[in-house]
Amino acid sequence: MVDMNLEVSDNNLQYIELIEEAQDIRDGQPFPEEYLEPRRRVWEDPSMQKCWERGNEAAFPDKYLYVPIEQDIVHTRARTIGITETVFNLRENEMLMVDVGGQKSERRKWIHCFQDVTSILFLVSLSRYDQCLIEDKDANQMQDTMTIWDSICHSQWFKQTSIILFLNKDDLFQKKIPHSDIKNFFPDFDGKANDICTGCDYFRKHFARLVQKANQKEREIYIHITTATDTAML
């Protein structure tokens, strides 16, 4: 909030101090009721609401606001650190899936793992087009993702590797479009500010053009607009 020149009201400063000094909750421990009212008061503070609305300036997590239900586990996000391998069977084939960290600090750990893979699943968060990087507040997350995509498409290691591109979090993208103009972050965007279809098509074509520049005709590329938390799409 300091970087945004925002401060909570004097009446709520006491609650900020209480929350900051709180101890971590252990597994199985219920949420302490004495923190319920302080958290509510801080959350309802006008400056806190303004800070939340400007979350793209600080790489805040995507804004899932809802009454907790069983689907919460689906929406829970854990940052990928290092390399995680998962083996599963698909029909009569044994598949090995390697999940890697997308952050800049993680890339040097996983790039070598892609040699000799049969397919790459590349996930892009559509809703991050207006957000900065966690590691660099002056860099744009979508622009950074496009740079990675471009390097993978041009890599000699993947000349014959099929790539499936998922433009994910379409649900959050649709909610964000009416309030955050793509043109503010991508000046070459010439569509309507609140047109969801035009926005999706812009990013789809942008990634597709990077593939065409690589000129790897023997490689197959598939692009899909998705919402990973929508189980109906499975």
Side-chain angles (χ1 to χ4, degrees):
M1 293 181 67
V2 175
D3 293 339
M4 298 179 184
N5 295 320
L6 296 173
E7 295 182 357
V8 298
S9 61
D10 292 340
N11 294 335
N12 290 328
L13 284 176
Q14 57 179 322
Y15 301 122
I16 291 289
E17 296 175 359
L18 177 66
I19 294 172
E20 288 180 343
E21 296 176 359
Q23 297 182 350
D24 292 337
I25 299 176
R26 298 187 300 270
D27 291 343
Q29 180 182 357
F31 186 85
E33 292 187 8
E34 60 266 28
Y35 288 97
L36 182 60
E37 181 63 17
R39 285 172 61 91
R40 185 185 67 79
R41 292 289 297 272
V42 171
W43 171 248
E44 293 177 352
D45 189 278
S47 291
M48 183 62 70
Q49 291 296 310
K50 291 179 181 178
C51 178
W52 180 251
E53 289 301 320
R54 294 169 57 186
N56 63 298
E57 300 175 27
F60 281 3
D62 291 311
K63 300 177 182 178
Y64 286 111
L65 294 179
Y66 50 82
V67 177
I69 57 176
E70 292 181 354
Q71 283 286 335
D72 285 350
I73 190 64
V74 178
H75 290 283
T76 300
R77 179 185 183 275
R79 176 182 173 182
T80 302
I81 298 177
I83 301 170
T84 304
E85 295 186 355
T86 303
V87 178
F88 62 95
N89 293 317
L90 181 62
R91 298 186 178 89
E92 298 179 354
N93 301 311
E94 184 177 84
M95 312 291 288
L96 171 63
M97 179 176 289
V98 181
D99 189 12
V100 299
Q103 294 80 11
K104 282 186 175 180
S105 59
E106 300 295 321
R107 289 169 199 162
R108 60 182 175 79
K109 302 178 183 178
W110 56 252
I111 192 65
H112 67 281
C113 295
F114 279 165
Q115 190 171 10
D116 299 326
V117 298
T118 56
S119 185
I120 297 175
L121 307 181
F122 195 93
L123 270 71
V124 177
S125 176
L126 274 173
S127 62
R128 299 294 180 90
Y129 68 89
D130 65 346
Q131 292 187 237
C132 65
L133 286 174
I134 296 176
E135 305 92 334
D136 183 358
K137 297 297 187 294
D138 295 324
N140 178 274
Q141 287 195 22
M142 183 67 82
Q143 290 282 7
D144 186 66
T145 300
M146 289 176 176
T147 300
I148 304 173
W149 171 258
D150 185 60
S151 65
I152 288 177
C153 291
H154 284 79
S155 173
Q156 292 299 307
W157 287 359
F158 314 132
K159 288 193 300 182
Q160 298 180 344
T161 303
S162 63
I163 304 179
I164 305 172
L165 172 64
F166 293 105
L167 298 178
N168 194 39
K169 297 189 178 181
D170 180 48
D171 56 335
L172 297 181
F173 179 75
Q174 294 185 29
K175 294 178 181 178
K176 180 177 286 189
I177 280 294
H179 312 289
S180 182
D181 190 354
I182 294 176
K183 194 173 183 62
N184 291 336
F185 307 92
F186 292 84
D188 63 330
F189 175 71
D190 58 0
K192 294 182 180 179
N194 60 349
D195 192 316
I196 297 171
C197 293
T198 302
C200 284
D201 191 54
Y202 167 78
F203 287 113
R204 182 201 295 269
K205 290 181 178 178
H206 208 304
F207 279 94
R209 281 197 297 269
L210 293 175
V211 176
Q212 294 172 356
K213 289 181 180 179
N215 197 29
Q216 303 291 356
K217 297 181 179 179
E218 64 269 37
R219 181 175 55 201
E220 295 180 333
I221 304 290
Y222 307 91
I223 302 178
H224 303 282
I225 307 293
T226 60
T227 300
T229 56
D230 185 357
T231 54
M233 297 185 68
L234 301 177

